[in-house]
Amino acid sequence: MIEQQLALYLVMGSQNCKHDPVETLEKAIQGGVTFFQFREKGLGSKIGKEKIELGIRLKEVCHQYDVPFIVNDDLELVNELDADGLHIGQKDGDMKKMKDSLKSYQMLGVSTHNLDEALEAKNLGADYIGVGPMFNTLTKDDIEEVNGPIVIEEIREQLPNVPLVGIGGIKHHNASQVIEAGANGVAVISDITQAESVKEATERLVGKVIRL
Ligand code: 3NM
């Protein structure tokens, strides 16, 4: 189930959006986004009450369309919003502790950059694994070295059944390389959130990631 849901994973905070974030999410889901992470982080992002209020509205949109609502890196916010899961990076704390703090219906996603990190994440109970950066990106300034879809191939070989999603610099013209390498889906920020037409940009990506 989660494998299919990961097909087109939108990661987003208000700071990433060219248009209104709630509208952006709704248009993206109408265009074919199947999974969502609220990542309100970095320059220009909302904090405190405003962040919570935006999270409530984004979760409502997700649930209206049966799309899972995941929160980035903030266990307190996961609890406050009763999110469907938590996504953490390598530096976001004790993975095992995070997994144990979640409710049984809440997923844990973990960002990794290589096979060793992916094996560790799987062992500690990650429900899905993100792998990046696939390509160069301007959206995140502290990315690791770009090694490309080959890293997905390496992980897929060792972990044939783990739900995997690629991230970093993925656009409609390179998304199929990530799927062909063995990912269940692609995670995207700017190709959707910075588009003039969010729905059309999403539809262009859908055509590259859904296996017919
Ligand atoms: N994580 P865009 S790259 C949030 O490598 C994030 O782990 C990355 O944005 C990683 O789709 C990245 O605009 C940014 O390139 C992805």
Side-chain angles (χ1 to χ4, degrees):
M1 180 67 176
I2 187 173
E3 287 84 349
Q4 280 87 43
Q5 285 181 313
L6 283 174
L8 185 51
Y9 187 167
L10 174 62
V11 178
M12 187 195 95
S14 64
Q15 75 285 350
N16 301 120
C17 293
K18 188 182 179 90
H19 311 286
D20 172 76
V22 177
E23 237 170 72
T24 299
L25 175 61
E26 183 153 32
K27 292 266 186 318
I29 293 177
Q30 288 168 350
V33 155
T34 51
F35 213 77
F36 177 69
Q37 181 189 133
F38 181 38
R39 184 175 180 276
E40 191 69 27
K41 201 176 213 177
L43 206 64
S45 58
K46 296 182 191 301
I47 53 166
K49 198 160 160 263
E50 276 191 37
K51 180 176 175 180
I52 294 169
E53 280 170 4
L54 177 59
I56 291 171
R57 295 179 67 204
L58 295 174
K59 181 186 151 182
E60 271 170 15
V61 174
C62 280
H63 283 190
Q64 197 183 329
Y65 293 90
D66 279 333
V67 167
F69 174 83
I70 307 296
V71 165
N72 179 275
D73 182 20
D74 187 340
L75 189 56
E76 226 174 274
L77 191 62
V78 169
N79 291 328
E80 184 127 22
L81 298 177
D82 189 26
D84 302 309
L86 168 69
H87 186 97
I88 55 171
Q90 292 293 314
K91 302 173 196 126
D92 294 336
D94 185 330
M95 234 184 274
K96 176 86 174 52
K97 231 188 225 165
M98 297 278 188
K99 174 77 185 173
D100 293 343
S101 317
L102 292 173
K103 303 195 178 75
S104 60
Y105 58 84
Q106 291 174 322
M107 295 175 256
L108 178 68
V110 178
S111 287
T112 69
H113 311 98
N114 53 50
L115 177 59
D116 285 347
E117 289 176 0
L119 289 169
E120 193 196 4
K122 175 75 178 68
N123 284 336
L124 291 174
D127 296 291
Y128 73 88
I129 293 175
V131 188
M134 291 290 104
F135 308 103
N136 271 311
T137 178
L138 297 174
T139 308
K140 189 172 191 274
D141 51 19
D142 59 346
I143 56 165
E144 303 281 321
E145 192 185 347
V146 177
N147 292 318
I150 186 87
V151 184
I152 296 267
E153 257 178 65
E154 288 167 9
I155 297 171
R156 180 52 81 216
E157 215 176 280
Q158 300 295 318
L159 296 169
N161 299 316
V162 76
L164 269 186
V165 63
I167 188 165
I170 299 176
K171 315 272 176 201
H172 68 276
H173 62 82
N174 58 22
S176 50
Q177 293 175 45
V178 180
I179 301 298
E180 278 159 21
N184 300 99
V186 296
V188 168
I189 299 182
S190 56
D191 202 40
I192 291 177
T193 60
Q194 286 294 311
E196 205 53 65
S197 166
V198 166
K199 190 154 177 270
E200 281 172 27
T202 308
E203 285 166 350
R204 266 201 304 271
L205 277 160
V206 169
K208 306 292 180 181
V209 298
I210 305 284
R211 287 177 212 262
L212 297 173

